[in-house]
DNA sequence: GGTTGAATTACACAATCGTATAACAAGAAT
DNA sequence: ATTCTTGTTATACGATTGTGTAATTCAACC
């Protein structure tokens, strides 16, 4: 008998995590069609058969990977809130800037996200994942807006959140797809001005960049 | 010998157009991976081999199809300007609404557009097509903004255009991907309010819906 | 320290992919 | 009518796809 490939047993969580990460890496690099079962397995350091041991199908893996991606993007945007200033306007300003700056705004991230858009339209499970994460992000934004010292109706609060989310998403998209079309810091500055204009507050003045770094 | 499939000879333009349309249809329906050479040929009513007669490769066909798609989207947005009102604010308002309404804003169109995003990042020719069409749209918007009766600097004009384009794109995206998450007419209304807030004008009042229809 | 269960590898299979090349046939030219 | 050009079909090929199943080997358990 020829020598069989040696291997180590790992926990289910670890293996699933590795496979998900490998899948996302490959989609980011080469699009959905580059994330083949064999390529994912190789990237994760296992053999192709193992994928079907942890996921019922490739479609299953795809769904889980998308969920992980969306989680990560929301988390990265929210990270700036931890340890930041307490002032409501400053918190909102920091959140807005973080949402259109790396690592959230990033060419690779956009390509990654776009790869799943069609599946979201077509697959009900994917759409559910998308809706939940989209609303989570928007509600987080709405919470920040609601904390501002200005009285508004619930209806206005909702449309303000949708509008601000729109600017953020749009600028995130354009700045990420065509980074060379904008000057350094131009997109974050425009984001602050626009969101401020929509909410009728001076967000630019409220912005407090992270000073923990030298 | 068995009967060979009968066929008619067509002009080069007609055949190329049919193949491009078939490719876009299939991408819209089933994503990039559904647009195989065989499926495109069948949809266009020809046999697979003919594709390689009109396009040097499938990649070639893909690029041409993307160019056609982008053209169509810009054209659809601009169509509302023809035969519309002369007032600068009304023209801008109508353009904004058209950009976030069907047929520009549409689940199929978004899926279609997203399918190409990754290729845009990776392929230089695709990126060139994207940049040209993105700037064409933004410049059209900037022209409408510049026509407003308000004095602004060139720099402000540019950032205003980028900001307004951002809101439009973001709302276009969200409204198209999750149409059921918004009330009828909610997205256009928010678009008018937001763009108006950014430019500090009352766009809602300026909006003049098409009255040529009964 | 065997024994056992399950994680992992290995292999096979049918389907489908893009591409290359040769055979045919439709319609214009002569 | 016959020839010629070339648009079009037909067919083949190797590579790659997702998946199903059997063979193995690791690591925990008694």
């Amino acid at each position: 008998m020829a020598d069989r490939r040696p291997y180590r047993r790992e926990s289910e969580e670890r293996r699933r995590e590795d496979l998900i990460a490998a899948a996302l890496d490959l989609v980011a690099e080469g699009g959905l069609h580059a994330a083949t079962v064999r390529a994912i397995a190789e990237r994760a350091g296992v053999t192709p058969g193992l994928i079907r041991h942890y996921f019922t199908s490739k479609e299953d893996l795809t769904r889980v990977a998308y969920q992980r991606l969306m989680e990560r993007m929301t988390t990265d945007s929210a990270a700036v809130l931890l340890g930041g200033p307490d002032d409501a306007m400053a918190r909102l300003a920091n959140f807005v800037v973080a949402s259109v700056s790396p690592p959230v705004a990033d060419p690779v991230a956009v390509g990654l996200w776009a790869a799943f858009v069609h599946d979201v339209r077509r697959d009900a499970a994917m759409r559910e994942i998308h809706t939940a994460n989209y609303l989570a992000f928007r509600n987080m934004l709405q919470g920040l807006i609601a904390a501002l010292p200005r009285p508004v109706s619930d209806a206005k609060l909702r449309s303000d959140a949708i509008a601000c989310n729109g600017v953020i998403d749009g600028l995130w998209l354009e700045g990420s797809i065509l980074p060379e079309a904008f000057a350094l810091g131009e997109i974050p500055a425009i984001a602050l001005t626009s969101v401020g204009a929509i909410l009728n507050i001076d967000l630019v003045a409220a912005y407090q960049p992270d000073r923990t770094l030298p």
Side-chain angles (χ1 to χ4, degrees), chain A:
Chain A
M1 283 296 111
D3 25 20
R4 206 179 162 90
R5 171 185 178 146
Y7 63 92
R8 278 190 37 190
R9 298 192 165 195
E10 299 286 354
S11 71
E12 169 168 353
E13 190 188 337
R14 169 68 187 277
R15 277 280 131 91
R16 289 178 66 94
E17 225 51 45
D18 285 352
L19 288 170
I20 292 168
L24 287 177
D25 271 9
L26 286 165
V27 174
E29 291 173 13
L32 262 187
H33 75 278
T36 66
V37 173
R38 287 166 177 83
I40 295 171
E42 186 184 18
R43 179 69 58 104
V46 298
T47 51
L50 195 60
I51 291 183
R52 296 287 316 282
H53 188 260
Y54 285 112
F55 301 92
T56 60
S57 68
K58 197 199 170 185
E59 196 180 16
D60 181 25
L61 170 55
T62 301
R63 281 198 267 254
V64 178
Y66 182 62
Q67 164 67 25
R68 191 58 41 94
L69 168 67
M70 294 292 276
E71 270 175 21
R72 193 170 69 198
M73 290 181 63
T74 305
T75 304
D76 285 346
S77 293
V80 74
L81 297 177
L82 303 173
D86 289 335
D87 177 61
M89 281 181 62
R91 283 169 62 83
L92 175 59
N94 289 356
F95 181 81
V96 169
V97 169
S99 300
V100 296
S101 305
V104 181
D106 171 73
V108 176
V110 167
L112 198 42
W113 167 84
F116 291 101
V117 170
H118 185 272
D119 290 332
V120 168
R121 281 223 327 111
R122 195 148 145 234
D123 184 62
M126 289 287 277
R127 191 161 51 249
E128 206 165 325
I129 293 171
H130 177 85
T131 306
N133 284 278
Y134 163 71
L135 289 180
F137 184 90
R138 200 180 81 190
N139 285 335
M140 188 177 303
L141 182 58
Q142 184 164 324
L144 292 172
I145 296 174
L148 295 175
R150 48 155 218 168
V152 292
S153 68
D154 282 356
K156 174 101 169 84
L157 184 58
R158 170 184 157 88
S159 62
D160 277 352
I162 294 175
C164 293
N165 192 24
V167 201
I168 292 172
D169 277 5
L171 293 176
W172 169 80
L173 202 65
E174 290 150 19
S176 299
I177 295 185
L178 288 181
E180 66 273 19
F182 304 96
L184 192 66
E186 187 176 20
I187 293 281
I190 293 178
L192 283 177
T193 309
S194 313
V195 172
I198 290 172
L199 301 177
N200 198 28
I201 57 178
D202 187 356
L203 264 194
V204 177
Y207 176 53
Q208 297 182 11
D210 188 3
R211 298 231 176 77
T212 61
L213 302 175

